Amino acid sequence: MPGDPDVPRGTDRPHEALRRAVRADLSDSAVDIAPRLLGGELRTFVAPSADAVALEVRLRITEVEAYHGQGTGGIPDPGSHARMGRTARNSTMWGEPGHLYVYLSHGIHSCVNVVCGPEGQGDGVLLRAGEVVAGAEAAATRRGAALPLRRTTSRDLARGPGRLGQAVGLRHPLHDGIDAITGEEQHGMRAELWLGPQRDDVVSGPRVGVAGVAGTAAFPWRFWIDEDPTVSPFRWGRGAQAESLHTTGVGRMMPARGR
């Protein structure tokens, strides 16, 4: 627990301290749930063939972004896929918490979001980055990284949402909607979400690469583990820096990790 005198600030507990998430853990809004995911794990299991042992990858979550649905608050989040309501693309966001909304970014990258909030609200938390703590060889193969892994390559395996989706093996559209609470198989893949104790080294700031006001300090809904090397570098989205200068005067501040 935070403040434990026997554990230095920000130190991760052993894997035994983690527990399987249940739907009630994810029933609040995205901005409340997002920091609670940090230090937890997304575990995926896929068998290369029917008679093969499933390959497991464990990803320690180090960076996330919250996106509110149309049903959260009076003003829709301008950066959210759910801002205009339910569509064929975002339908998973409106379902039960704990399912994974897997969407395609720039027509290439499969990005992974944890659906949260009450059913019908449309909230989600984007998994932006993490550390592969088990199954690095399988993750590296999916990423096309040479083995043995160098320190920088290992750090970068899941550094950024596109790399993360590739490393854990979740693919749009095959795995969109997969249930990370029950772990039920979907197209040869299983996923599990595990949570740990609440952390006291969480930092927040503007979201990365989000256009306009949604990518400014008006929406400080990016959360990450302070000083973790796997956290992705900050970059402004289209028009966000100019919008930040106009509204807050802090657009010239270009943080290394988000502040």
Side-chain angles (χ1 to χ4, degrees):
M1 61 170 47
D4 186 338
D6 296 324
V7 181
R9 178 179 179 270
T11 298
D12 286 290
R13 276 66 175 179
H15 296 308
E16 290 74 13
L18 301 179
R19 61 173 179 82
R20 285 285 295 272
V22 297
R23 299 212 194 278
D25 291 320
L26 307 170
S27 61
D28 291 335
S29 69
V31 75
D32 294 319
I33 294 298
R36 301 179 198 169
L37 300 182
L38 296 172
E41 291 182 5
L42 177 64
R43 302 178 182 179
T44 58
F45 308 81
V46 59
S49 61
D51 57 349
V53 175
L55 298 175
E56 179 183 8
V57 171
R58 293 187 180 184
L59 180 90
R60 184 179 69 95
I61 302 166
T62 61
E63 181 188 9
V64 295
E65 287 177 348
Y67 289 88
H68 277 184
Q70 193 179 48
T72 308
I75 302 174
D77 175 0
S80 173
H81 287 179
R83 65 188 179 277
M84 302 300 290
R86 188 191 299 262
T87 66
R89 180 196 192 196
N90 69 26
S91 61
T92 296
M93 293 184 72
W94 303 88
E96 287 183 308
H99 290 263
L100 302 182
Y101 168 48
V102 183
Y103 73 91
L104 205 60
S105 175
H106 302 296
I108 302 172
H109 307 294
S110 293
C111 299
V112 181
N113 301 257
V114 177
V115 176
C116 53
E119 188 171 356
Q121 183 162 289
D123 276 23
V125 176
L126 173 67
L127 304 184
R128 270 208 62 86
E131 176 192 9
V132 177
V133 295
E137 185 171 338
T141 299
R142 291 168 182 158
R143 291 281 336 281
L147 296 170
L149 291 172
R150 297 177 179 270
R151 176 181 295 182
T152 301
T153 308
S154 180
R155 179 201 67 188
D156 291 347
L157 274 181
R159 194 182 190 207
R163 293 173 177 177
L164 186 153
Q166 190 174 21
V168 299
L170 289 165
R171 293 288 175 270
H172 171 85
L174 288 178
H175 305 127
D176 181 30
I178 195 169
D179 194 341
I181 301 299
T182 65
E184 182 178 355
E185 183 176 320
Q186 180 170 316
H187 291 286
M189 171 73 75
R190 293 194 305 106
E192 298 175 356
L193 182 65
W194 291 68
L195 301 178
Q198 187 172 346
R199 304 183 66 95
D200 63 356
D201 59 346
V202 173
V203 188
S204 65
R207 297 178 293 199
V208 176
V210 178
V213 68
T216 72
F219 292 88
W221 293 348
R222 176 188 178 213
F223 303 88
W224 66 96
I225 296 175
D226 194 21
E227 301 298 326
D228 193 290
T230 65
V231 172
S232 54
F234 179 82
R235 62 178 175 82
W236 294 106
R238 186 181 65 255
Q241 187 173 16
E243 182 68 33
S244 185
L245 278 167
H246 175 71
T247 58
T248 67
V250 297
R252 296 189 185 281
M253 186 168 59
M254 188 61 135
R257 301 204 187 281
R259 286 295 319 167

